[in-house]
Amino acid sequence: MAIHYPNGKAYVPVKKTKTSLKKDYSFSNRGKTLEDEINDANEFYIARDIAVIHKKPIPIQVVKVDYPSRSSAVIKEAYYRTPSTTDFNGVYQGKYIDFEAKETENRTAFPLKNVHLHQVEHMRKVSNQLGITFLLIRFSSLDRYFYLPFEQLSLFWDRMLTGGRKSITLSEMESHAIEIIPKYAPRIDYLKVVNDLNV
């Protein structure tokens, strides 16, 4: 059975060679973004019929296109049609999943300015409909990953709106979020946390 990405491109698994089996995996994912790692996890889940979760396409309005040859087109100008909501959505064991992925280079806190008001409002609506919604946060300089349920994000967001701290400290993250320890396959197994908390 052929597996395709949401954009229609066919998924082609990478064949492992003998040299890749001897590779030191402790550094194998350096340079990958959180979004790449989530996409890898989603491919793992889909291939094993665990869940169907995809990155949402960004809604853009194409304004100007050049055609350097008959068989190719180059977009020269485009605009966001509407603000995007969250990065990923799908279904897992009959539950709707909707979440945002964020990275920070900051070593001591996650700045709430990285999250937009329309994203928080969207997540609140998903939560009100009993969907599962959360933030996946990567402290990239520390290589640490956290699953922050929307209920906790909402508390920190409301604190900011009432004049409080404009970030979530690392110690608050350690207390109020669930740390995801990277492993081999998938590296970021965020559905284990979803399962433990919601299913």
Side-chain angles (χ1 to χ4, degrees), residues 71-136:
S71 61
S72 65
V74 177
I75 297 173
K76 291 292 189 180
E77 189 175 351
Y79 299 96
Y80 292 115
R81 210 180 300 156
T82 57
S84 62
T85 51
T86 50
D87 288 333
F88 297 89
N89 71 344
V91 64
Y92 170 59
Q93 295 188 359
K95 299 274 190 177
Y96 177 71
I97 306 273
D98 195 301
F99 66 96
E100 177 70 14
K102 297 291 185 185
E103 291 189 74
T104 182
E105 289 286 334
N106 194 311
R107 301 175 71 88
T108 59
F110 173 72
L112 284 167
K113 68 179 181 181
N114 291 358
V115 184
H116 304 290
L117 175 60
H118 67 271
Q119 293 174 323
V120 173
E121 289 172 346
H122 172 76
M123 293 171 83
R124 192 178 311 280
K125 289 176 182 175
V126 170
S127 180
N128 290 344
Q129 294 298 320
L130 305 181
I132 299 168
T133 186
F134 53 92
L135 282 184
L136 279 185

Short mmCIF file of all heavy atoms in Angstrom, two decimals, residues 71-136:
data_model
loop_
_atom_site.label_atom_id
_atom_site.label_comp_id
_atom_site.label_asym_id
_atom_site.label_seq_id
_atom_site.Cartn_x
_atom_site.Cartn_y
_atom_site.Cartn_z
N SER A 71 6.94 23.15 -18.05
CA SER A 71 6.67 22.12 -17.04
C SER A 71 6.89 22.59 -15.61
O SER A 71 6.80 21.79 -14.69
CB SER A 71 7.54 20.90 -17.32
OG SER A 71 8.90 21.28 -17.23
N SER A 72 7.22 23.87 -15.40
CA SER A 72 7.46 24.32 -14.02
C SER A 72 6.85 25.69 -13.78
O SER A 72 6.71 26.49 -14.70
CB SER A 72 8.97 24.35 -13.73
OG SER A 72 9.60 25.31 -14.53
N ALA A 73 6.52 25.92 -12.55
CA ALA A 73 5.97 27.20 -12.13
C ALA A 73 6.70 27.63 -10.86
O ALA A 73 6.99 26.80 -10.00
CB ALA A 73 4.49 27.09 -11.87
N VAL A 74 6.98 28.91 -10.75
CA VAL A 74 7.65 29.45 -9.56
C VAL A 74 6.76 30.52 -8.96
O VAL A 74 6.41 31.50 -9.62
CB VAL A 74 9.03 30.05 -9.93
CG1 VAL A 74 9.68 30.65 -8.70
CG2 VAL A 74 9.92 29.01 -10.57
N ILE A 75 6.37 30.31 -7.68
CA ILE A 75 5.56 31.31 -6.98
C ILE A 75 6.47 32.46 -6.60
O ILE A 75 7.46 32.28 -5.89
CB ILE A 75 4.87 30.70 -5.74
CG1 ILE A 75 3.89 29.60 -6.17
CG2 ILE A 75 4.17 31.78 -4.94
CD1 ILE A 75 3.30 28.82 -5.02
N LYS A 76 6.15 33.65 -7.07
CA LYS A 76 6.96 34.85 -6.80
C LYS A 76 6.39 35.70 -5.68
O LYS A 76 7.11 36.44 -5.02
CB LYS A 76 7.08 35.71 -8.07
CG LYS A 76 7.91 35.06 -9.16
CD LYS A 76 9.35 35.00 -8.73
CE LYS A 76 10.23 34.58 -9.89
NZ LYS A 76 11.63 34.51 -9.52
N GLU A 77 5.07 35.63 -5.48
CA GLU A 77 4.44 36.45 -4.44
C GLU A 77 3.21 35.72 -3.91
O GLU A 77 2.40 35.22 -4.68
CB GLU A 77 4.03 37.80 -5.04
CG GLU A 77 3.58 38.81 -4.02
CD GLU A 77 3.30 40.17 -4.65
OE1 GLU A 77 3.61 40.38 -5.83
OE2 GLU A 77 2.74 41.02 -3.93
N ALA A 78 3.11 35.65 -2.59
CA ALA A 78 1.97 34.99 -1.95
C ALA A 78 1.77 35.60 -0.57
O ALA A 78 2.70 36.15 0.02
CB ALA A 78 2.19 33.49 -1.85
N TYR A 79 0.55 35.50 -0.06
CA TYR A 79 0.21 36.05 1.26
C TYR A 79 -0.56 35.02 2.06
O TYR A 79 -1.28 34.19 1.49
CB TYR A 79 -0.67 37.31 1.10
CG TYR A 79 0.02 38.42 0.34
CD1 TYR A 79 -0.19 38.58 -1.02
CD2 TYR A 79 0.90 39.28 0.99
CE1 TYR A 79 0.45 39.59 -1.73
CE2 TYR A 79 1.54 40.29 0.29
CZ TYR A 79 1.32 40.44 -1.06
OH TYR A 79 1.97 41.42 -1.76
N TYR A 80 -0.42 35.11 3.39
CA TYR A 80 -1.25 34.27 4.24
C TYR A 80 -2.70 34.71 4.09
O TYR A 80 -3.01 35.88 4.26
CB TYR A 80 -0.82 34.37 5.70
CG TYR A 80 0.54 33.76 5.96
CD1 TYR A 80 1.61 34.56 6.37
CD2 TYR A 80 0.76 32.41 5.78
CE1 TYR A 80 2.86 34.01 6.59
CE2 TYR A 80 2.01 31.85 6.01
CZ TYR A 80 3.05 32.65 6.41
OH TYR A 80 4.28 32.11 6.62
N ARG A 81 -3.57 33.76 3.78
CA ARG A 81 -4.98 34.09 3.59
C ARG A 81 -5.64 34.40 4.93
O ARG A 81 -6.37 35.36 5.09
CB ARG A 81 -5.70 32.90 2.92
CG ARG A 81 -6.85 33.34 2.06
CD ARG A 81 -7.54 32.19 1.38
NE ARG A 81 -6.66 31.43 0.51
CZ ARG A 81 -6.86 30.17 0.19
NH1 ARG A 81 -7.89 29.51 0.69
NH2 ARG A 81 -6.04 29.55 -0.62
N THR A 82 -5.40 33.54 5.92
CA THR A 82 -5.92 33.74 7.28
C THR A 82 -4.83 33.31 8.25
O THR A 82 -3.95 32.54 7.87
CB THR A 82 -7.18 32.86 7.53
OG1 THR A 82 -6.83 31.48 7.29
CG2 THR A 82 -8.34 33.25 6.65
N PRO A 83 -4.87 33.78 9.48
CA PRO A 83 -3.88 33.31 10.45
C PRO A 83 -4.03 31.81 10.64
O PRO A 83 -5.15 31.30 10.73
CB PRO A 83 -4.23 34.06 11.73
CG PRO A 83 -5.10 35.19 11.31
CD PRO A 83 -5.79 34.76 10.05
N SER A 84 -2.92 31.10 10.68
CA SER A 84 -3.01 29.65 10.90
C SER A 84 -3.42 29.40 12.35
O SER A 84 -3.19 30.24 13.22
CB SER A 84 -1.67 28.98 10.59
OG SER A 84 -0.67 29.48 11.46
N THR A 85 -4.02 28.26 12.60
CA THR A 85 -4.45 27.95 13.96
C THR A 85 -3.31 27.24 14.69
O THR A 85 -2.46 27.88 15.29
CB THR A 85 -5.74 27.13 13.94
OG1 THR A 85 -5.58 26.00 13.08
CG2 THR A 85 -6.91 27.97 13.46
N THR A 86 -3.27 25.93 14.60
CA THR A 86 -2.20 25.16 15.23
C THR A 86 -1.50 24.34 14.14
O THR A 86 -1.99 24.23 13.02
CB THR A 86 -2.75 24.23 16.32
OG1 THR A 86 -3.86 23.50 15.79
CG2 THR A 86 -3.20 25.02 17.54
N ASP A 87 -0.36 23.75 14.49
CA ASP A 87 0.47 23.07 13.49
C ASP A 87 -0.06 21.70 13.05
O ASP A 87 0.06 21.35 11.89
CB ASP A 87 1.89 22.86 14.05
CG ASP A 87 2.67 24.16 14.14
OD1 ASP A 87 2.38 25.08 13.36
OD2 ASP A 87 3.58 24.24 14.98
N PHE A 88 -0.60 20.93 13.99
CA PHE A 88 -0.92 19.53 13.70
C PHE A 88 -2.32 19.18 14.19
O PHE A 88 -2.77 19.70 15.21
CB PHE A 88 0.07 18.60 14.42
CG PHE A 88 1.50 18.76 13.94
CD1 PHE A 88 2.34 19.67 14.55
CD2 PHE A 88 1.99 18.00 12.89
CE1 PHE A 88 3.65 19.83 14.11
CE2 PHE A 88 3.29 18.15 12.45
CZ PHE A 88 4.12 19.07 13.06
N ASN A 89 -2.98 18.28 13.45
CA ASN A 89 -4.24 17.74 13.93
C ASN A 89 -4.49 16.37 13.34
O ASN A 89 -3.85 15.98 12.35
CB ASN A 89 -5.42 18.69 13.66
CG ASN A 89 -5.77 18.78 12.19
OD1 ASN A 89 -5.01 18.39 11.31
ND2 ASN A 89 -6.94 19.31 11.91
N GLY A 90 -5.40 15.63 13.97
CA GLY A 90 -5.72 14.29 13.50
C GLY A 90 -6.56 13.55 14.51
O GLY A 90 -7.21 14.15 15.37
N VAL A 91 -6.51 12.22 14.41
CA VAL A 91 -7.33 11.39 15.28
C VAL A 91 -6.50 10.25 15.85
O VAL A 91 -5.65 9.68 15.17
CB VAL A 91 -8.58 10.87 14.53
CG1 VAL A 91 -8.20 9.95 13.38
CG2 VAL A 91 -9.57 10.21 15.46
N TYR A 92 -6.75 9.95 17.13
CA TYR A 92 -6.07 8.86 17.83
C TYR A 92 -7.09 8.17 18.72
O TYR A 92 -7.67 8.79 19.61
CB TYR A 92 -4.91 9.42 18.66
CG TYR A 92 -4.28 8.42 19.60
CD1 TYR A 92 -3.72 7.24 19.12
CD2 TYR A 92 -4.24 8.65 20.97
CE1 TYR A 92 -3.13 6.33 19.98
CE2 TYR A 92 -3.65 7.75 21.84
CZ TYR A 92 -3.10 6.59 21.35
OH TYR A 92 -2.53 5.68 22.19
N GLN A 93 -7.33 6.90 18.45
CA GLN A 93 -8.29 6.09 19.22
C GLN A 93 -9.63 6.81 19.39
O GLN A 93 -10.20 6.86 20.48
CB GLN A 93 -7.69 5.71 20.57
CG GLN A 93 -6.49 4.78 20.44
CD GLN A 93 -6.01 4.23 21.77
OE1 GLN A 93 -6.56 4.52 22.83
NE2 GLN A 93 -5.00 3.40 21.71
N GLY A 94 -10.13 7.37 18.31
CA GLY A 94 -11.43 8.03 18.33
C GLY A 94 -11.43 9.42 18.93
O GLY A 94 -12.48 10.05 19.03
N LYS A 95 -10.28 9.91 19.34
CA LYS A 95 -10.18 11.24 19.95
C LYS A 95 -9.53 12.22 18.97
O LYS A 95 -8.55 11.88 18.30
CB LYS A 95 -9.33 11.20 21.22
CG LYS A 95 -9.87 10.31 22.31
CD LYS A 95 -10.86 11.05 23.15
CE LYS A 95 -11.22 10.22 24.37
NZ LYS A 95 -12.13 10.92 25.24
N TYR A 96 -10.08 13.43 18.92
CA TYR A 96 -9.51 14.47 18.07
C TYR A 96 -8.29 15.08 18.76
O TYR A 96 -8.35 15.44 19.94
CB TYR A 96 -10.55 15.56 17.78
CG TYR A 96 -10.01 16.70 16.96
CD1 TYR A 96 -9.70 16.52 15.62
CD2 TYR A 96 -9.78 17.94 17.53
CE1 TYR A 96 -9.19 17.56 14.85
CE2 TYR A 96 -9.28 18.99 16.77
CZ TYR A 96 -8.98 18.79 15.44
OH TYR A 96 -8.47 19.82 14.69
N ILE A 97 -7.18 15.16 18.04
CA ILE A 97 -5.92 15.71 18.55
C ILE A 97 -5.61 16.99 17.77
O ILE A 97 -5.69 17.00 16.54
CB ILE A 97 -4.75 14.72 18.31
CG1 ILE A 97 -5.06 13.35 18.89
CG2 ILE A 97 -3.43 15.28 18.81
CD1 ILE A 97 -4.71 13.15 20.30
N ASP A 98 -5.22 18.04 18.46
CA ASP A 98 -4.92 19.32 17.82
C ASP A 98 -3.84 19.99 18.66
O ASP A 98 -4.06 20.27 19.84
CB ASP A 98 -6.18 20.18 17.77
CG ASP A 98 -6.07 21.35 16.82
OD1 ASP A 98 -5.18 22.18 17.01
OD2 ASP A 98 -6.91 21.44 15.91
N PHE A 99 -2.65 20.23 18.08
CA PHE A 99 -1.58 20.79 18.92
C PHE A 99 -0.64 21.67 18.12
O PHE A 99 -0.59 21.65 16.90
CB PHE A 99 -0.82 19.69 19.65
CG PHE A 99 -0.03 18.74 18.77
CD1 PHE A 99 1.32 18.95 18.53
CD2 PHE A 99 -0.64 17.62 18.21
CE1 PHE A 99 2.05 18.08 17.75
CE2 PHE A 99 0.09 16.74 17.42
CZ PHE A 99 1.44 16.96 17.19
N GLU A 100 0.12 22.44 18.87
CA GLU A 100 1.09 23.39 18.33
C GLU A 100 2.49 22.97 18.79
O GLU A 100 2.66 22.53 19.93
CB GLU A 100 0.76 24.79 18.85
CG GLU A 100 1.69 25.89 18.43
CD GLU A 100 1.59 26.23 16.95
OE1 GLU A 100 0.63 25.82 16.27
OE2 GLU A 100 2.51 26.91 16.47
N ALA A 101 3.47 23.10 17.91
CA ALA A 101 4.86 22.79 18.25
C ALA A 101 5.65 24.10 18.31
O ALA A 101 5.56 24.92 17.41
CB ALA A 101 5.45 21.86 17.20
N LYS A 102 6.42 24.27 19.38
CA LYS A 102 7.21 25.49 19.57
C LYS A 102 8.62 25.14 20.03
O LYS A 102 8.80 24.20 20.81
CB LYS A 102 6.56 26.40 20.62
CG LYS A 102 5.19 26.93 20.25
CD LYS A 102 5.24 27.92 19.13
CE LYS A 102 3.87 28.52 18.86
NZ LYS A 102 3.89 29.41 17.69
N GLU A 103 9.58 25.91 19.56
CA GLU A 103 10.97 25.74 20.00
C GLU A 103 11.48 27.05 20.58
O GLU A 103 11.05 28.12 20.16
CB GLU A 103 11.87 25.35 18.82
CG GLU A 103 11.60 23.97 18.29
CD GLU A 103 12.63 23.53 17.27
OE1 GLU A 103 13.77 23.20 17.70
OE2 GLU A 103 12.31 23.50 16.08
N THR A 104 12.41 26.94 21.52
CA THR A 104 13.06 28.12 22.05
C THR A 104 14.54 27.82 22.30
O THR A 104 14.89 26.70 22.67
CB THR A 104 12.40 28.61 23.36
OG1 THR A 104 13.06 29.80 23.79
CG2 THR A 104 12.45 27.58 24.47
N GLU A 105 15.37 28.82 22.03
CA GLU A 105 16.80 28.73 22.34
C GLU A 105 17.05 29.12 23.79
O GLU A 105 18.13 28.86 24.33
CB GLU A 105 17.61 29.67 21.43
CG GLU A 105 17.68 29.22 19.98
CD GLU A 105 18.61 28.04 19.78
OE1 GLU A 105 19.55 27.86 20.57
OE2 GLU A 105 18.40 27.29 18.82
N ASN A 106 16.07 29.74 24.43
CA ASN A 106 16.20 30.17 25.82
C ASN A 106 16.43 28.95 26.71
O ASN A 106 15.75 27.94 26.57
CB ASN A 106 14.92 30.91 26.22
CG ASN A 106 15.06 31.67 27.51
OD1 ASN A 106 15.54 31.15 28.50
ND2 ASN A 106 14.63 32.92 27.49
N ARG A 107 17.37 29.05 27.62
CA ARG A 107 17.71 27.91 28.48
C ARG A 107 16.94 27.90 29.80
O ARG A 107 16.94 26.90 30.51
CB ARG A 107 19.22 27.92 28.78
CG ARG A 107 20.08 27.84 27.54
CD ARG A 107 21.56 27.96 27.88
NE ARG A 107 22.06 26.79 28.57
CZ ARG A 107 22.54 25.71 27.96
NH1 ARG A 107 22.57 25.66 26.64
NH2 ARG A 107 22.98 24.69 28.66
N THR A 108 16.29 29.03 30.14
CA THR A 108 15.67 29.12 31.47
C THR A 108 14.16 29.32 31.44
O THR A 108 13.51 29.15 32.47
CB THR A 108 16.29 30.29 32.26
OG1 THR A 108 16.10 31.50 31.52
CG2 THR A 108 17.79 30.07 32.49
N ALA A 109 13.58 29.67 30.28
CA ALA A 109 12.14 29.93 30.24
C ALA A 109 11.64 29.83 28.80
O ALA A 109 12.40 30.00 27.84
CB ALA A 109 11.82 31.31 30.80
N PHE A 110 10.33 29.57 28.69
CA PHE A 110 9.66 29.56 27.38
C PHE A 110 8.85 30.85 27.26
O PHE A 110 7.90 31.07 28.01
CB PHE A 110 8.73 28.36 27.26
CG PHE A 110 7.88 28.39 26.02
CD1 PHE A 110 8.43 28.16 24.77
CD2 PHE A 110 6.53 28.69 26.10
CE1 PHE A 110 7.65 28.21 23.63
CE2 PHE A 110 5.74 28.74 24.97
CZ PHE A 110 6.31 28.50 23.72
N PRO A 111 9.23 31.77 26.33
CA PRO A 111 8.50 33.04 26.20
C PRO A 111 7.10 32.82 25.62
O PRO A 111 6.95 32.19 24.57
CB PRO A 111 9.36 33.84 25.22
CG PRO A 111 10.66 33.11 25.11
CD PRO A 111 10.37 31.69 25.44
N LEU A 112 6.09 33.35 26.29
CA LEU A 112 4.71 33.19 25.83
C LEU A 112 4.43 33.99 24.56
O LEU A 112 3.44 33.74 23.88
CB LEU A 112 3.73 33.56 26.94
CG LEU A 112 3.60 32.49 28.02
CD1 LEU A 112 2.88 33.03 29.24
CD2 LEU A 112 2.92 31.23 27.50
N LYS A 113 5.33 34.92 24.20
CA LYS A 113 5.15 35.66 22.94
C LYS A 113 5.29 34.71 21.74
O LYS A 113 4.88 35.06 20.64
CB LYS A 113 6.15 36.81 22.83
CG LYS A 113 7.59 36.37 22.67
CD LYS A 113 8.52 37.55 22.55
CE LYS A 113 9.97 37.06 22.37
NZ LYS A 113 10.90 38.16 22.28
N ASN A 114 5.84 33.51 21.96
CA ASN A 114 5.95 32.51 20.89
C ASN A 114 4.60 31.91 20.53
O ASN A 114 4.46 31.24 19.52
CB ASN A 114 6.91 31.39 21.29
CG ASN A 114 8.35 31.85 21.35
OD1 ASN A 114 8.66 33.00 21.06
ND2 ASN A 114 9.23 30.95 21.73
N VAL A 115 3.61 32.11 21.40
CA VAL A 115 2.25 31.61 21.15
C VAL A 115 1.37 32.80 20.83
O VAL A 115 1.48 33.85 21.48
CB VAL A 115 1.69 30.85 22.39
CG1 VAL A 115 0.33 30.25 22.09
CG2 VAL A 115 2.67 29.79 22.86
N HIS A 116 0.51 32.68 19.84
CA HIS A 116 -0.33 33.80 19.42
C HIS A 116 -1.74 33.68 20.00
O HIS A 116 -2.22 32.56 20.23
CB HIS A 116 -0.40 33.87 17.89
CG HIS A 116 0.95 33.97 17.27
ND1 HIS A 116 1.74 35.10 17.36
CD2 HIS A 116 1.68 33.06 16.57
CE1 HIS A 116 2.88 34.88 16.74
NE2 HIS A 116 2.88 33.66 16.25
N LEU A 117 -2.37 34.81 20.20
CA LEU A 117 -3.71 34.84 20.78
C LEU A 117 -4.69 33.98 20.00
O LEU A 117 -5.45 33.22 20.59
CB LEU A 117 -4.22 36.29 20.85
CG LEU A 117 -5.67 36.46 21.33
CD1 LEU A 117 -5.84 35.91 22.74
CD2 LEU A 117 -6.08 37.93 21.26
N HIS A 118 -4.66 34.06 18.66
CA HIS A 118 -5.62 33.26 17.88
C HIS A 118 -5.38 31.76 18.04
O HIS A 118 -6.30 30.96 17.95
CB HIS A 118 -5.60 33.66 16.39
CG HIS A 118 -4.33 33.33 15.68
ND1 HIS A 118 -3.27 34.20 15.62
CD2 HIS A 118 -3.95 32.23 14.98
CE1 HIS A 118 -2.29 33.64 14.92
NE2 HIS A 118 -2.68 32.45 14.53
N GLN A 119 -4.12 31.36 18.34
CA GLN A 119 -3.84 29.94 18.60
C GLN A 119 -4.43 29.51 19.94
O GLN A 119 -5.02 28.43 20.05
CB GLN A 119 -2.33 29.69 18.57
CG GLN A 119 -1.74 29.87 17.18
CD GLN A 119 -0.23 29.78 17.17
OE1 GLN A 119 0.45 30.23 18.11
NE2 GLN A 119 0.31 29.21 16.10
N VAL A 120 -4.28 30.36 20.95
CA VAL A 120 -4.85 30.05 22.26
C VAL A 120 -6.37 29.98 22.18
O VAL A 120 -7.00 29.07 22.73
CB VAL A 120 -4.41 31.09 23.32
CG1 VAL A 120 -5.12 30.87 24.64
CG2 VAL A 120 -2.90 31.04 23.50
N GLU A 121 -6.98 30.90 21.46
CA GLU A 121 -8.44 30.88 21.30
C GLU A 121 -8.90 29.62 20.57
O GLU A 121 -9.90 29.01 20.94
CB GLU A 121 -8.90 32.13 20.55
CG GLU A 121 -8.78 33.40 21.38
CD GLU A 121 -9.05 34.68 20.60
OE1 GLU A 121 -9.09 34.64 19.34
OE2 GLU A 121 -9.20 35.74 21.26
N HIS A 122 -8.15 29.22 19.55
CA HIS A 122 -8.47 27.99 18.82
C HIS A 122 -8.36 26.77 19.75
O HIS A 122 -9.25 25.92 19.78
CB HIS A 122 -7.54 27.82 17.62
CG HIS A 122 -7.67 26.50 16.94
ND1 HIS A 122 -8.73 26.19 16.10
CD2 HIS A 122 -6.90 25.38 17.00
CE1 HIS A 122 -8.60 24.95 15.66
NE2 HIS A 122 -7.49 24.44 16.19
N MET A 123 -7.28 26.71 20.52
CA MET A 123 -7.08 25.58 21.43
C MET A 123 -8.17 25.54 22.50
O MET A 123 -8.64 24.47 22.88
CB MET A 123 -5.69 25.66 22.07
CG MET A 123 -4.57 25.47 21.06
SD MET A 123 -2.94 25.80 21.74
CE MET A 123 -2.60 24.24 22.53
N ARG A 124 -8.60 26.71 22.94
CA ARG A 124 -9.69 26.76 23.93
C ARG A 124 -10.98 26.17 23.34
O ARG A 124 -11.69 25.41 23.99
CB ARG A 124 -9.92 28.20 24.39
CG ARG A 124 -10.82 28.32 25.62
CD ARG A 124 -11.00 29.75 26.08
NE ARG A 124 -9.77 30.51 26.22
CZ ARG A 124 -8.94 30.42 27.27
NH1 ARG A 124 -9.23 29.60 28.26
NH2 ARG A 124 -7.84 31.15 27.31
N LYS A 125 -11.27 26.50 22.07
CA LYS A 125 -12.46 25.96 21.42
C LYS A 125 -12.36 24.45 21.26
O LYS A 125 -13.35 23.72 21.46
CB LYS A 125 -12.66 26.63 20.06
CG LYS A 125 -13.12 28.07 20.18
CD LYS A 125 -13.23 28.74 18.82
CE LYS A 125 -13.63 30.20 18.99
NZ LYS A 125 -13.65 30.93 17.73
N VAL A 126 -11.17 23.95 20.91
CA VAL A 126 -10.97 22.50 20.80
C VAL A 126 -11.19 21.84 22.15
O VAL A 126 -11.87 20.81 22.27
CB VAL A 126 -9.56 22.18 20.25
CG1 VAL A 126 -9.25 20.69 20.36
CG2 VAL A 126 -9.44 22.65 18.81
N SER A 127 -10.63 22.43 23.20
CA SER A 127 -10.79 21.90 24.56
C SER A 127 -12.25 21.89 24.98
O SER A 127 -12.73 20.92 25.58
CB SER A 127 -9.96 22.72 25.54
OG SER A 127 -10.08 22.23 26.84
N ASN A 128 -12.99 22.96 24.65
CA ASN A 128 -14.42 23.02 24.99
C ASN A 128 -15.23 21.93 24.30
O ASN A 128 -16.29 21.54 24.79
CB ASN A 128 -14.99 24.40 24.63
CG ASN A 128 -14.47 25.50 25.55
OD1 ASN A 128 -13.93 25.22 26.63
ND2 ASN A 128 -14.59 26.74 25.12
N GLN A 129 -14.74 21.46 23.14
CA GLN A 129 -15.41 20.37 22.42
C GLN A 129 -14.86 19.00 22.82
O GLN A 129 -15.13 18.00 22.16
CB GLN A 129 -15.25 20.57 20.91
CG GLN A 129 -15.96 21.79 20.36
CD GLN A 129 -17.46 21.71 20.56
OE1 GLN A 129 -18.07 20.65 20.40
NE2 GLN A 129 -18.07 22.82 20.92
N LEU A 130 -14.08 18.96 23.91
CA LEU A 130 -13.50 17.74 24.47
C LEU A 130 -12.43 17.12 23.59
O LEU A 130 -12.12 15.93 23.70
CB LEU A 130 -14.59 16.70 24.81
CG LEU A 130 -15.71 17.20 25.73
CD1 LEU A 130 -16.70 16.08 26.02
CD2 LEU A 130 -15.14 17.76 27.02
N GLY A 131 -11.86 17.93 22.69
CA GLY A 131 -10.70 17.47 21.93
C GLY A 131 -9.46 17.55 22.80
O GLY A 131 -9.44 18.21 23.84
N ILE A 132 -8.42 16.86 22.38
CA ILE A 132 -7.14 16.86 23.11
C ILE A 132 -6.24 17.89 22.45
O ILE A 132 -5.93 17.79 21.27
CB ILE A 132 -6.50 15.47 23.08
CG1 ILE A 132 -7.41 14.45 23.77
CG2 ILE A 132 -5.12 15.50 23.74
CD1 ILE A 132 -7.01 13.01 23.54
N THR A 133 -5.86 18.91 23.21
CA THR A 133 -5.04 19.99 22.65
C THR A 133 -3.93 20.36 23.62
O THR A 133 -4.12 20.34 24.85
CB THR A 133 -5.93 21.20 22.27
OG1 THR A 133 -5.14 22.17 21.62
CG2 THR A 133 -6.64 21.80 23.46
N PHE A 134 -2.77 20.67 23.07
CA PHE A 134 -1.58 20.88 23.92
C PHE A 134 -0.50 21.58 23.11
O PHE A 134 -0.61 21.75 21.89
CB PHE A 134 -1.07 19.54 24.46
CG PHE A 134 -0.83 18.49 23.39
CD1 PHE A 134 0.41 18.34 22.79
CD2 PHE A 134 -1.85 17.64 23.00
CE1 PHE A 134 0.62 17.38 21.82
CE2 PHE A 134 -1.65 16.67 22.02
CZ PHE A 134 -0.40 16.54 21.44
N LEU A 135 0.57 21.95 23.81
CA LEU A 135 1.79 22.45 23.18
C LEU A 135 2.88 21.40 23.34
O LEU A 135 3.00 20.80 24.40
CB LEU A 135 2.30 23.72 23.88
CG LEU A 135 1.66 25.06 23.61
CD1 LEU A 135 2.43 26.15 24.34
CD2 LEU A 135 1.60 25.38 22.14
N LEU A 136 3.65 21.18 22.29
CA LEU A 136 4.90 20.43 22.39
C LEU A 136 6.00 21.47 22.32
O LEU A 136 6.09 22.22 21.34
CB LEU A 136 5.05 19.42 21.26
CG LEU A 136 4.30 18.10 21.41
CD1 LEU A 136 4.65 17.16 20.26
CD2 LEU A 136 4.57 17.41 22.73
#
